[in-house]
C-alpha cells in the first residue's frame, strides 16, 4: 500500500503549505496536523479509501470509530443530530477540546468505515489556528485519530509524529507543540442523558456546571465488549452472515476476497472485497458491498476466509459484530 513506502513531506503553516496539505487531504492522502490537544492523523472522512489507508498506517488492530473534525458548528450540524443539551455544549465549548458523540444524520457525509459501522458519529471543532485553517481549506470533515501508531502514546509535536509515522503518511504540518497535550474529552449525547466516554482536556466540573447536571460514566466503543455497540448499534445486515465459509450453500450470496470464489452452489449474487487480495481495498469496500448483498433476496451471506494479517483482522472483527444477534 502506498502509505507504507515513500517520503513524508514536512510542511510549514504558510498559506501555500496549508493549501498543499488541504489538496493532499482532498486527494485521499494522509496528513498529520496540530490541534490544541494532540496531533491528529487526518484523512478525508467522506472517502472510505482514505479511511482504510488511515487504519493501515496507524496499524490499528480494529476499526475504532474516528472523530470527524470540522471548522464550524454549522458543518457539525450537517453531520449529526444534536439534542438541546448537545447543542448547548457545542455552543458553549466549541471550538475546543471537546468531542460530542451524537446520532448520525441520515445522509451525513462521514462514511460508514470512519464510524466503524456505528449509527453515531463523533464530532469536534478544534481550537487551533492551523487545524482551523486546514479544515477551512479542505472544506470537508477530516477524520483524525491521534497521530501515533496503535499502542504508542499520542504525539504532541511534529517530531513525535515523524518518529512514529514517518514514511507511512504523505505529510506532516509542523505547527509547534500542542498546548494541551492530552486528548479531547468525549461525551456521549445519544439520548436525553450525557455520558462521559473519555476524560480529557476539558474538565468534567466545567461541563457539569454548564449543563447544570452530573455526567454519568459511559463506555467508549473501543472498550466495549466484542458485541454490537452498547451505545448505539453497529450496521446489522438483515440476512444471516456466515464467516470463514468453505462452501456456498443453496440460495446464499457470496462476499468474496481475492477472486477465488468458493465451491458448492452457484451464489445468488457475488461481491469481491478485493479481487487482487488487497486488504486496504477490502476495508474500503466492506460496508458498501455488505449493504449491496443485504439488499438482494438470499438464504444468507457467506463470507470467504480473510487473511488474518494487517487489516484482515479488523475486517473480520467488524463482520463478527455485524453477524452477532441484536441485543
Ligand atoms: O483530542 C483528540 O480527541 C484527538 C485529536 C486529534 O482531535 N483525537 C483522538 O482520536 O484522540 P482517537 O481516534 O485517538 O480517539 C477517539 C476516540 C476512540 O476511543 C473512539 O472509540 C471514540 O473516540 N469514538 C469515536 N466515535 C465514537 C462513537 N461513535 N461512539 C463511541 N466512541 C467513539
Ligand atoms: Mg488515540
Amino acid at each position: 500500500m502506498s502509505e507504507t513506502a515513500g517520503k513524508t513531506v514536512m510542511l510549514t503553516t504558510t498559506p501555500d503549505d496549508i493549501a498543499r496539505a488541504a489538496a493532499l487531504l482532498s486527494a485521499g492522502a494522509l496528513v498529520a496536523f496540530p490541534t490544541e490537544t494532540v496531533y491528529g492523523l487526518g484523512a478525508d472522512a467522506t472517502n472510505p479509501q482514505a479511511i482504510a489507508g488511515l487504519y493501515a498506517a496507524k496499524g490499528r488492530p480494529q476499526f475504532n470509530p474516528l472523530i470527524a473534525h470540522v471548522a464550524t458548528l454549522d458543518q457539525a450540524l450537517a453531520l449529526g443530530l444534536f439534542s438541546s443539551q448537545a447543542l448547548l455544549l457545542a455552543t458553549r465549548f466549541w471550538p475546543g477540546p471537546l468531542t460530542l458523540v451524537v446520532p448520525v444524520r441520515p445522509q451525513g457525509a462521514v462514511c460508514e468505515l470512519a464510524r466503524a459501522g456505528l449509527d453515531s458519529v463523533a464530532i469536534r471543532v478544534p481550537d487551533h489556528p492551523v487545524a482551523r485553517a486546514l479544515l477551512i481549506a479542505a472544506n470537508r470533515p477530516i477524520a483524525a485519530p491521534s497521530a501515533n501508531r496503535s499502542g504508542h502514546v499520542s504525539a504532541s509535536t511534529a517530531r513525535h509524529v515523524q518518529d512514529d509515522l514517518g514514511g507511512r503518511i504523505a505529510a506532516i504540518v509542523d505547527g509547534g507543540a500542542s498546548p494541551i497535550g492530552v486528548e479531547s474529552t468525549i461525551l456521549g449525547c445519544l439520548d436525553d442523558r450525557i455520558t462521559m466516554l473519555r476524560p480529557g482536556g476539558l474538565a468534567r466540573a466545567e461541563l457539569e456546571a454548564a449543563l447544570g447536571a452530573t455526567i454519568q460514566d459511559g463506555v467508549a466503543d473501543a472498550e466495549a465488549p466484542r458485541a454490537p455497540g452498547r451505545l448505539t448499534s453497529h450496521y446489522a445486515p438483515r440476512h444471516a452472515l456466515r464467516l470463514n465459509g468453505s462452501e456456498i450453500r443453496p440460495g446464499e450470496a457470496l462476499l468474496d476476497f481475492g477472486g477465488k470464489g468458493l465451491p458448492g452452489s452457484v451464489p445468488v449474487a457475488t461481491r469481491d472485497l478485493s479481487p487482487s487480495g488487497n486488504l486496504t481495498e477490502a476495508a474500503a469496500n466492506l460496508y458498501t458491498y455488505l449493504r449491496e448483498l443485504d439488499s438482494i433476496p438470499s438464504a444468507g451471506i457467506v463470507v470467504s476466509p480473510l487473511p488474518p494479517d494487517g487489516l484482515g483482522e479488523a475486517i473480520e472483527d467488524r463482520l463478527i459484530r455485524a453477524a452477532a444477534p441484536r441485543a
Side-chain angles (χ1 to χ4, degrees):
M1 62 211 92
S2 59
E3 287 81 15
T4 57
K7 192 163 152 30
T8 298
V9 180
M10 251 326 157
L11 296 173
T12 67
T13 61
T14 61
D16 274 1
D17 272 9
I18 294 292
R20 203 171 150 194
L24 283 167
L25 285 169
S26 303
L30 306 179
V31 178
F33 61 96
T35 82
E36 77 277 31
T37 56
V38 296
Y39 271 68
L41 176 55
D44 180 351
T46 69
N47 177 346
Q49 281 79 21
I51 299 302
L54 189 157
Y55 286 121
K58 278 215 45 145
R60 286 205 163 189
Q62 294 196 345
F63 296 149
N64 287 328
L66 304 169
I67 300 171
H69 296 69
V70 289
T72 66
L73 177 59
D74 277 351
Q75 287 176 324
L77 296 178
L79 302 178
L81 299 168
F82 285 66
S83 65
S84 56
Q85 282 184 310
L87 198 55
L88 181 152
L89 291 167
T91 311
R92 170 80 173 73
F93 294 106
W94 280 350
L98 175 68
T99 295
L100 299 176
V101 174
V102 298
V104 69
R105 187 178 276 285
Q107 314 304 324
V110 175
C111 71
E112 211 161 10
L113 188 61
R115 292 185 278 114
L118 290 167
D119 55 16
S120 58
V121 59
I123 311 175
R124 181 161 101 82
V125 178
D127 183 19
H128 188 289
V130 176
R132 288 176 66 74
L134 184 57
L135 291 171
I136 290 166
N139 194 29
R140 66 193 65 213
I142 299 297
S146 50
N148 51 279
R149 292 194 68 175
S150 203
H152 294 196
V153 294
S154 298
S156 56
T157 66
R159 179 61 204 273
H160 292 162
V161 180
Q162 171 70 42
D163 290 348
D164 237 30
L165 295 166
R168 300 173 74 88
I169 64 178
I172 302 169
V173 180
D174 186 352
S178 288
I180 296 178
V182 298
E183 291 97 334
S184 61
T185 301
I186 305 181
L187 295 181
C189 312
L190 295 170
D191 45 34
D192 43 14
R193 294 168 317 138
I194 303 290
T195 56
M196 176 68 71
L197 299 182
R198 179 180 74 184
L202 190 59
R204 180 194 285 262
E206 251 192 274
L207 292 160
E208 289 182 338
L211 283 169
T214 56
I215 296 171
Q216 314 287 313
D217 283 328
V219 181
D221 178 72
E223 285 89 50
R226 250 170 113 91
R230 290 174 52 172
L231 299 162
T232 180
S233 65
H234 287 259
Y235 172 63
R238 289 177 303 124
H239 288 96
L241 215 56
R242 211 157 56 75
L243 305 184
N244 206 22
S246 53
E247 88 290 322
I248 301 166
R249 296 178 188 161
E252 281 187 329
L254 172 65
L255 186 61
D256 201 8
F257 175 81
K260 291 192 289 289
L262 289 177
S265 299
V266 175
V268 298
T270 302
R271 293 291 182 280
D272 194 329
L273 290 169
S274 171
S276 67
N278 178 316
L279 284 164
T280 306
E281 181 185 29
N285 289 329
L286 176 64
Y287 289 106
T288 304
Y289 287 0
L290 207 49
R291 273 186 196 282
E292 285 177 6
L293 287 184
D294 203 27
S295 71
I296 297 166
S298 74
I301 300 167
V302 58
V303 185
S304 292
L306 293 163
D309 46 289
L311 290 183
E313 198 183 333
I315 296 169
E316 192 84 12
D317 174 74
R318 287 299 143 178
L319 285 167
I320 290 168
R321 289 172 190 254
R326 305 284 90 191

